[in-house]
């Protein structure tokens, strides 16, 4: 049995916290300062965490390795199981050219470039974030905007800023699922609080986007459709995350936002030639003028309809109970850890939701998609394997970061730093989103930031008397605003639109929006931690 200690280094909480933080500091310096690739930084941090656990905290090597293995397994299933299958569905639509049909369908919804930016970058980008995440929305949406005639720089900036509100529930809820796992908090509780923070961003982001596309004129002429889109998105995200399913939050929100745009009369008013001439300064793709048979348009939308349908069926109480019956719980081998009070930690047990997990449901939707789109079984398998190959470095990054997080949480790092950070008292509520923002800014992933800092936030919250659910959620909600300035996302955006080497230009354009929205989120969390906005919490 290994008993966690709070201050094993010279019996000093400050020194112990400094040593415990070394793996995090190493990862952040390698990512943000030295610009080492994420998977190498994760592996180096894992090695550092293992050495600290062994040398400073006295954790046996076998238990350290076992804890790291459990983190890596959790990274593979259910986290990457969701991502791989979701991206596989997208690849099949590209393979059958139904993605091109979908792009043309969006282009025909409105000829106003400001509305097109909302449809493509905000609504469809949120749907892509819901299904895949990990940079896919920025790459795909920026390319689609360029095809519609947007200048490459403007297209990239719009795609980056739009990729905020849906991130916390992206990849079928992967960030909040990870957050719940590493903190030990119930998923429903964490998702509920996040669902009372990020929807407030959704109210603002569409207005920011039309301003980025067409300045004050864009705000003056299209504020109505933009506000309707934001309100519908926010309401659906709040409702789904609180009362339905965290995995469906972004899917429902993206569809609600798009429906609101279609329903608002102002969104269908043709844009003036002056607006189109000033906004669409790039080359418009000629294939936008092709006519697509109605049957093929329906098939292009089918994969997303299948995912929504399957996940909705899975939420029916009888079905949900049947799926949960396949869940298996195991005592993890070579792991026997108790906290300082002698209570066994949750990491001693591993829960494997074989069927009742988002990845398996997306796999089922993918199999149905292959049938609907007419993808041969051999081709579908080849595309799935190609997806794994495409994500090989992301797989290595996620597994190493989660292995790092598990080791640090098991040997007591979160508790040590949490006790130390708790000295910030009430100021912790303001700093909590900043920590998540910084984590995503350097790692490019809300999932990784939640794995690294989630347990720390909860530990600090308990020591300072704040709500653990609030600060855990704040880590994820603040993190989404670091997505647009992360080197990973900036590089993806530049590569997608042919601006390689101009990451600095994009950073200067999106940084003010990232910092401004972060300040708003910090004030929201401070308000929710006080009587001013505490009524917002469940």
């Amino acid at each position: 049995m290994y008993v966690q200690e709070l201050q094993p280094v010279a019996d000093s909480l400050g020194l112990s916290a400094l040593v415990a933080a070394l793996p995090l500091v190493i990862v952040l310096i390698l990512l943000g300062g030295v610009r080492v690739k994420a998977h190498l930084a994760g592996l180096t941090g894992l090695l550092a965490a293992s050495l600290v656990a062994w040398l400073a905290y006295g954790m046996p090597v076998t238990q350290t390795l076992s804890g790291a293995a459990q983190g890596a397994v959790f990274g593979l299933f259910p986290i990457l199981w969701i991502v791989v299958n979701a991206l596989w569905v997208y690849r099949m639509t590209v393979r059958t050219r139904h993605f091109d049909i979908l792009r043309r369908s969006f282009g025909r919804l409105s000829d106003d470039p400001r509305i097109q930016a909302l449809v493509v970058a905000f609504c469809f980008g949120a749907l892509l974030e819901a299904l895949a995440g990990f940079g896919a929305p920025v790459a795909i949406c920026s390319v689609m905007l360029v095809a519609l005639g947007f200048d490459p720089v403007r297209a990239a900036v719009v795609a980056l800023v739009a990729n905020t509100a849906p991130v916390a529930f992206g990849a079928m809820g992967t960030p909040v699922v990870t957050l719940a796992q590493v903190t030990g908090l119930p998923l429903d509780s964490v998702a509920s609080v996040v669902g009372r923070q990020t929807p407030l961003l959704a109210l603002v982001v569409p207005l920011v986007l039309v301003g980025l596309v067409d300045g004050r004129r864009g705000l003056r002429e299209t504020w109505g459709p933009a506000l309707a889109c934001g309100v519908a998105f926010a309401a659906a995200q709040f409702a789904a995350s609180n009362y339905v399913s965290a995995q469906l939050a972004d899917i429902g929100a993206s569809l609600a936002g798009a429906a609101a745009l279609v329903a608002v009369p102002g969104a269908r008013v043709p844009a003036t030639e002056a607006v189109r001439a000033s906004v669409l300064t790039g080359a418009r793709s000629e294939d936008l003028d092709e006519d697509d048979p109605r049957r093929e348009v329906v098939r292009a939308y089918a994969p997303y309809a299948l995912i929504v349908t399957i996940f909705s069926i899975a939420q029916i109480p009888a079905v949900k109970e049947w799926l949960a019956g396949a869940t298996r719980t195991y005592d993890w081998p070579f792991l026997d850890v108790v906290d300082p009070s002698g209570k066994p930690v949750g990491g001693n047990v591993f829960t494997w939701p074989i069927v009742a997990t988002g990845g398996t449901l997306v796999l089922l939707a993918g199999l149905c998609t292959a049938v609907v789109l007419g993808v041969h079984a051999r081709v579908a398998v080849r595309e799935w394997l190609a997806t794994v190959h495409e994500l090989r470095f992301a797989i290595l990054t996620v597994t190493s970061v989660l292995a790092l997080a598990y080791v640090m949480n098991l040997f007591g790092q979160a508790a040590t730093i949490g006790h130390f950070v708790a000295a910030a008292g009430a100021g912790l509520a303001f700093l909590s989103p900043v920590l998540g923002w910084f984590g995503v800014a350097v790692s490019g992933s809300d999932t990784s930031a939640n794995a690294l800092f989630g347990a720390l936030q909860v530990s600090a919250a308990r020591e300072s008397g704040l709500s653990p659910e609030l600060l855990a959620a704040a880590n994820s909600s603040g993190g989404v605003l670091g997505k647009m300035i992360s080197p990973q996302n900036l590089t993806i955006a530049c590569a997608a639109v042919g601006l390689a080497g101009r990451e600095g230009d994009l950073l200067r354009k999106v940084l003010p929006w990232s910092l401004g929205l972060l300040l708003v989120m910090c004030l929201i969390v401070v308000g929710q931690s006080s009587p001013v906005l505490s009524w917002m919490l469940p």
Side-chain angles (χ1 to χ4, degrees), residues 141-153 155-156 282-285 496-497:
C141 292
S142 55
V143 169
M144 290 176 71
L145 290 174
V146 169
L148 290 169
F150 280 71
D151 171 75
V153 173
R284 183 174 180 275
S285 177
V497 298

Side-chain angles (χ1 to χ4, degrees), residues 29-68:
I29 289 176
L30 289 176
L31 283 171
V34 186
R35 298 285 183 90
V36 169
K37 293 185 182 298
H39 63 281
L40 295 177
L43 290 171
T44 305
L46 173 60
L47 176 61
S50 301
L51 290 174
V52 170
W54 176 42
L55 298 175
Y57 278 74
M59 191 174 190
V61 175
T62 53
Q63 297 217 45
T64 302
L65 295 176
S66 180

Side-chain angles (χ1 to χ4, degrees), residues 340-359:
S341 67
K343 180 181 177 182
V345 301
N348 294 330
V349 176
F350 182 76
T351 301
W352 186 22
I354 303 172
V355 181
T357 184

